[in-house]
Amino acid sequence: MAEGYNLQRGMNFRVKGKDTVILMSVRRGAPYADRTEEDGQILIYEGHDVPRNINESTKAVNQPQFTPNGKLTQNGKFHKAAMDYRNGEPPELVKVYEKIKDGIWVYNGIFELIDAWQEKSGKRKVFKFKLRITDIALREREIMQQGVNDLDHNRMIPTSVKLEVWKRDKGKCVTCGSTDNLHFDHILPFSKGGTSLKTENIQLLCARHNLQKRDKIQ
Ligand SMILES: [Zn+2]
């Protein structure tokens, strides 16, 4: 909903001229092997399989770079952008959403697409994409462009921590009980050395109380 259209796929390279968006999941049983490294600063995202209507056993064939008509698939578009970056172009900025539970998506912020390759996975080849979390200047630029809703960046709080906090705070703002537009808030801010790794330092806040808290700190 935040992106203003219905995301049908996990990989969305500038769909309809909009921002590039990926949906990730590190949950057990997730369809793709996404993972994070270096305390969540780096995301290794797996490319996507052929569409089911083309091949019944989508996990048996190489992940495609081109469609049958010779156009770039989403894998192909992301791969090309990563190669352009290697050749000196600015990196593609990618918004990352993470599924932490059925029906619960978390915005993880903006990442730069900095590398791509193909590697063997069993008997076939899959795409891998390397993304790096952007620096504070980029986060602030986004705040100016997007307004209030994107003020909070999760700094890749581990999924297990998010789930535990969600359960503990019962999916509500701890201040007012609102269930709308919730953010995972660092009780001691990340910028002041607060950790993302302990549930004791993370709480659920609605956008309004998240903003109020920030105003007080600044
Ligand atoms: Zn609230």
Side-chain angles (χ1 to χ4, degrees), residues 172-178 180 182 204-210:
K172 293 174 187 169
C173 171
V174 296
T175 304
C176 70
S178 168
D180 288 338
L182 294 170
L204 280 178
L205 285 181
C206 68
R208 187 162 65 97
H209 287 115
N210 197 32

